[in-house]
Amino acid sequence: MELSGKRVLLIIGGGIAAYKALELIRRLKDAGASVHAILTAAGAQFITSLSVSALSGERTYQELFDLTVESEMGHIALSRAADLLVVAPATADLMAKLAVGLAPDLASTALLATDKPVLLAPAMNVRMWQHPATRRNLAALTRDGIHIVGPNDGEMACGEFGQGRMAEPAEILAAITAILKPVNLAGIRALVTAGPTHEPIDPVRYLGNRSSGKQGYAIAEALFNAGAETVLVSGPVALTAAATSKLVRVETAIEMRDACEAALPVDIAICAAAVADWHVEHPHTTKLKKPNAPPSLVLVENPDILAELSHHPTARPKLVIGFAAETGNLLVNAAAKRAAKGCDWIIANDVSTDTQGKSVMGSDSNRVHLLSEAGAESWPLLSKRDVAQRLTAKIAQFFGRAA
Ligand code: CTP
């Protein structure tokens, strides 16, 4: 069984989605995990500790200062005996407490006291999810390394429609498995491109794009942490050095292509960079001055690094993965891109702005679809780090390395 011997501490917050936590317990047990649960006071308004205990086969913890519990197992031990803490549903209130480090009850105390990974499955009204305070808390939690799965779009119990529905138990289980199941990529060589490229116009100006490099860096780190020898070729980004075997910093698409070529042979290539499609044929060697007429720039197409790696005559990686950043017709365009570029998998994401004018570019989470020969697989909204971890697990499967 996939999660044999793994111990999960499940914190059930208050929300109508609490009933799905019961289904999650059942699935975790079926997968071989043991489950201890903390039911918050708000959670207990929706489901009973009796039903939680009946499914988990363990006593359900409720109060911080329950002396019996403290003598059996204190809150510190409780939060550390687990391999993973899962909060489902994670309410706006629980997220806020964890983001600022408040610990007024057993659930928030366990979250603060743990030295283990934490996965949140947020569930709340769409306005609460979109509120600037929740956005700030989410950004802080992601920075702190907290894993996030969901929420999904859909109709909510409150009658409104939008993002805020808790991820389905199967999606939460997949996120748990990606965190807990060790993958071993030792001996595998990986190449990852990340960030934008800057194509000079003159010594001070360039053509560029809004790519932050976060997704590519997260992928390089996840592969490296799984034991792969990883070369990260990065365009200009504001991120600090990543945990990789080697980081090569470049500016232009041509430099990026050359750095990739120099890194070959590799077993996997993942092109997460937003490479500029064109460069200026003859960048000015001195700064263009305003009194001159607006310059006309002659643009020349850049090398397509993903297509070149996919069709490499002597050193084609065994697995080549590209990204398709689209603003419309996502799956159709992405499938066409996979065929046109000749890569094995494509990760499609919608980079159009949402109703708040926010784009996935630069944000900390990503909702992607993985397209391969086998078809399309849609993943729930995940932090970029969780997308990276899940992709690493898929890659491990491809190389027959899944534990
Ligand atoms: N890519 C690349 N080299 C380029 C352009 C793109 O390696 N010169 C890779 C990106 O890293 C990504 C994939 O190709 O993995 C798709 O990039 P995208 O910008 O979505 O597609 P384009 O090929 O630029 O097509 P278009 O802009 O027309 O959508």
Side-chain angles (χ1 to χ4, degrees):
M1 282 189 289
E2 263 189 335
L3 296 176
S4 278
K6 298 293 181 193
R7 287 161 305 181
V8 172
L9 177 62
L10 176 65
I11 295 172
I12 305 169
I16 189 69
Y19 78 91
K20 289 191 197 170
L22 298 174
E23 166 76 3
L24 178 61
I25 297 173
R26 198 185 58 73
R27 284 176 180 259
L28 281 166
K29 300 279 292 180
D30 286 351
S34 68
V35 183
H36 284 88
I38 295 176
L39 183 61
T40 65
Q45 302 292 319
F46 294 88
I47 56 172
T48 66
S49 71
L50 191 63
S51 47
V52 175
S53 294
L55 285 162
S56 70
E58 306 284 348
R59 71 162 291 174
T60 301
Y61 301 89
Q62 286 192 267
E63 294 301 328
L64 178 52
F65 299 108
D66 179 335
L67 290 177
T68 336
V69 178
E70 285 293 319
S71 61
E72 266 176 36
M73 186 190 266
H75 58 276
I76 307 269
L78 183 65
S79 73
R80 297 204 184 147
D83 297 299
L84 172 71
L85 272 63
V86 178
V87 188
T91 57
D93 177 63
L94 272 170
M95 287 176 65
K97 282 181 188 138
L98 183 57
V100 295
L102 287 173
D105 53 21
L106 179 59
S108 49
T109 306
L111 285 167
L112 211 56
T114 192
D115 55 356
K116 297 299 179 349
V118 174
L119 170 70
L120 306 183
M124 65 197 73
N125 168 273
V126 59
R127 295 271 166 257
M128 292 172 79
W129 176 248
Q130 287 171 346
H131 194 283
T134 309
R135 313 312 301 164
R136 273 197 308 276
N137 292 335
L138 181 67
L141 291 166
T142 309
R143 263 199 313 278
D144 289 346
I146 303 291
H147 301 270
I148 313 279
V149 55
N152 292 338
D153 283 334
E155 196 172 341
M156 283 177 274
C158 57
E160 286 187 55
F161 190 91
Q163 204 171 29
R165 272 173 72 96
M166 189 169 87
E168 293 304 318
E171 293 171 329
I172 301 173
L173 183 68
I176 292 171
T177 309
I179 297 166
L180 286 182
K181 224 170 112 185
V183 291
N184 181 2
L185 291 177
I188 300 278
R189 285 176 56 95
L191 165 67
V192 180
T193 69
T197 64
H198 286 179
E199 310 296 334
I201 296 171
D202 69 12
V204 295
R205 303 179 179 93
Y206 59 81
L207 297 174
N209 60 65
R210 295 182 195 280
S211 169
S212 67
K214 285 179 186 170
Q215 186 63 80
Y217 272 59
I219 291 170
E221 290 193 339
L223 291 169
F224 177 74
N225 289 337
E229 190 186 325
T230 308
V231 179
L232 171 61
V233 178
S234 169
V237 294
L239 302 172
T240 48
T244 55
S245 317
K246 191 171 174 192
L247 172 62
V248 185
R249 291 188 194 274
V250 297
E251 289 271 328
T252 67
I254 290 176
E255 288 169 9
M256 186 173 273
R257 192 264 314 268
D258 293 348
C260 289
E261 188 64 36
L264 298 179
V266 294
D267 300 293
I268 327 159
I270 303 177
C271 295
V275 184
D277 288 324
W278 310 281
H279 65 267
V280 178
E281 187 174 28
H282 298 297
H284 285 250
T285 50
T286 53
K287 188 183 171 204
L288 285 164
K289 301 301 272 183
K290 206 157 39 186
N292 299 335
S296 46
L297 302 173
V298 177
L299 300 179
V300 181
E301 202 167 319
N302 271 329
D304 189 318
I305 302 167
L306 177 61
E308 285 188 8
L309 288 168
S310 300
H311 295 110
H312 202 284
T314 55
R316 194 215 191 259
K318 293 181 194 77
L319 182 61
V320 181
I321 306 173
F323 272 75
E326 305 288 341
T327 53
N329 282 335
L330 183 61
L331 293 183
V332 172
N333 286 342
K337 214 166 253 183
R338 187 176 94 83
K341 307 244 184 182
C343 59
D344 303 298
W345 298 352
I346 223 150
I347 298 166
N349 62 345
D350 189 339
V351 290
S352 50
T353 47
D354 63 17
T355 46
Q356 314 285 296
K358 298 247 168 57
S359 161
V360 67
M361 292 195 116
S363 92
D364 290 314
S365 39
N366 209 354
R367 184 178 165 81
V368 305
H369 310 263
L370 178 69
L371 276 76
S372 66
E373 207 180 17
E377 191 180 299
S378 297
W379 294 357
L381 183 72
L382 294 168
S383 70
K384 287 184 175 172
R385 207 168 61 117
D386 288 306
V387 168
Q389 226 166 38
R390 205 140 155 179
L391 182 64
T392 302
K394 276 268 162 198
I395 290 169
Q397 248 172 32
F398 176 88
F399 286 99
R401 298 295 193 86

